[in-house]
Amino acid sequence: KQEVTQIPAALSVPEGENLVLNCSFTDSAIYNLQWFRQDPGKGLTSLLLIQSSQREQTSGRLNASLDKSSGRSTLYIAASQPGDSATYLCAVRRRPNDYKLSFGAGTTVTVRA
Amino acid sequence: NAGVTQTPKFQVLKTGQSMTLQCAQDMNHNSMYWYRQDPGMGLRLIYYSASEGTTDKGEVPNGYNVSRLNKREFSLRLESAAPSQTSVYFCASRLAGGLEGTQYFGPGTRLTVL
C-alpha cells in the first residue's frame, strides 16, 4: 500500500524567504505526482504535475522536483509572499488509469508579513 | 465554465438521518470521485466513477452509496449518518486517459453529524 508523508505538518516563515516543502512516498513505482494548494475552507487547486519520467516541473515561482528512486518530491516556492499561506498537499498516482490518488496529509504554510 | 460544483456547502445532521450530497462538472470529464478529508489525514477516496454508468468502491466506502446520474453528475448518499462521518467531502473530476492526469476539485461540503 502506498504511504505518502509530508513533514513538517506546519511551517511559518517571514516574507521573502524561500519555502521548501517535502513529500515522501513508500512505493517508487509511480506514474505521476501532483502538488495541490488548499486555502482554508476551500477545495484543492492543482499547482504542478510531474510525470515519473521527469525530474522537475516549474511554474513561475514554483519548482517541483521528483526523485523516484528515493521516493521523494520537493516543492520550492521562491521569495514567499503572505498570499502563499495555505496548505500544500502532494498526491501520487500509481498507473496511468489508476483511479486512486494517494494523498499526503499536507503542510500548512504561514508566511508572515 | 463553473468547473466542479457541490451542494450543499454546509450541513448538520442528527445520527440516523439520511442525506445526499450533489456534485456536477461542466468540463465533459469522464471520471468523477468522492473524497473525505479529516484533520491530520490526507484525502481518502470513498467511491469513484470511471465513466458514465460505472461506479466502484474506494478506500473507505462503508456507510455510503453513490449514483452516476449522467456524465455531469455524481451524487453521494449517506443512508444513516453516524458521528464518524463528520468530515469535509470533496468531489473531483478528471479527463481520464492520456497524460492528462489532473483532478479538478469542488469547494467541498462540510458535514457535521451530531
Side-chain angles (χ1 to χ4, degrees), chain A residues 103, chain B residues 33-39 41-47 59-64 76 78 82-91 105 109 111:
Chain A
F103 280 87
Chain B
Y33 310 79
W34 276 105
Y35 292 91
R36 61 178 288 173
Q37 185 179 34
D38 300 295
M41 303 183 72
L43 276 72
R44 291 182 292 168
L45 184 63
I46 304 171
Y47 270 93
E59 297 173 81
V60 288
N62 292 344
Y64 305 95
L76 178 72
L78 286 71
S84 61
Q85 294 178 305
T86 293
S87 188
V88 182
Y89 292 86
F90 289 100
C91 178
F105 284 78
T109 294
L111 175 67

Side-chain angles (χ1 to χ4, degrees), chain A residues 2 12 18 23 36-37 51 105:
Chain A
Q2 180 73 273
S12 178
N18 296 332
C23 171
F36 293 90
R37 169 183 172 136
Q51 300 295 342

Side-chain angles (χ1 to χ4, degrees), chain B:
Chain B
N1 213 357
V4 181
T5 57
Q6 292 182 237
T7 55
K9 287 187 167 50
F10 300 94
Q11 184 71 49
V12 178
L13 292 177
K14 294 181 180 177
T15 297
Q17 288 185 316
S18 62
M19 79 161 295
T20 300
L21 281 63
Q22 307 286 353
C23 174
Q25 52 90 11
D26 61 2
M27 296 174 283
N28 202 34
H29 285 173
N30 297 312
S31 55
M32 297 184 73
Y33 310 79
W34 276 105
Y35 292 91
R36 61 178 288 173
Q37 185 179 34
D38 300 295
M41 303 183 72
L43 276 72
R44 291 182 292 168
L45 184 63
I46 304 171
Y47 270 93
Y48 66 93
S49 171
S51 59
E52 185 179 354
T54 69
T55 61
D56 284 285
K57 295 178 180 180
E59 297 173 81
V60 288
N62 292 344
Y64 305 95
N65 284 300
V66 291
S67 296
R68 183 75 182 265
L69 304 169
N70 47 55
K71 192 170 186 180
R72 291 187 63 249
E73 298 172 290
F74 188 37
S75 63
L76 178 72
R77 182 161 179 85
L78 286 71
E79 291 291 351
S80 178
S84 61
Q85 294 178 305
T86 293
S87 188
V88 182
Y89 292 86
F90 289 100
C91 178
S93 69
R94 173 179 172 238
L95 181 68
L99 294 179
E100 177 49 67
T102 301
Q103 287 194 2
Y104 295 84
F105 284 78
T109 294
R110 281 139 191 87
L111 175 67
T112 301
V113 183
L114 302 175

Side-chain angles (χ1 to χ4, degrees), chain A residues 5-8 20-24 35 73-75 90 107:
Chain A
T5 304
Q6 292 184 251
I7 295 173
V20 180
L21 306 179
N22 299 305
C23 171
S24 61
W35 282 94
S73 176
T74 303
L75 178 67
C90 65
T107 296

Side-chain angles (χ1 to χ4, degrees), chain A residues 2 27 55 70-71 110:
Chain A
Q2 180 73 273
D27 185 350
R55 297 282 294 182
S70 66
T110 302

Side-chain angles (χ1 to χ4, degrees), chain A residues 57-109:
Chain A
Q57 276 282 4
T58 298
S59 176
R61 294 184 295 111
L62 276 59
N63 175 277
S65 66
L66 175 65
D67 184 341
K68 262 184 53 174
S69 60
S70 66
R72 291 182 184 176
S73 176
T74 303
L75 178 67
Y76 300 91
I77 304 177
S80 61
Q81 304 167 359
D84 294 328
S85 298
T87 297
Y88 293 84
L89 298 96
C90 65
V92 300
R93 185 184 308 281
R94 190 176 176 191
R95 288 181 294 269
N97 286 319
D98 193 339
Y99 296 97
K100 181 177 177 303
L101 282 177
S102 297
F103 280 87
T107 296
T108 299
V109 171

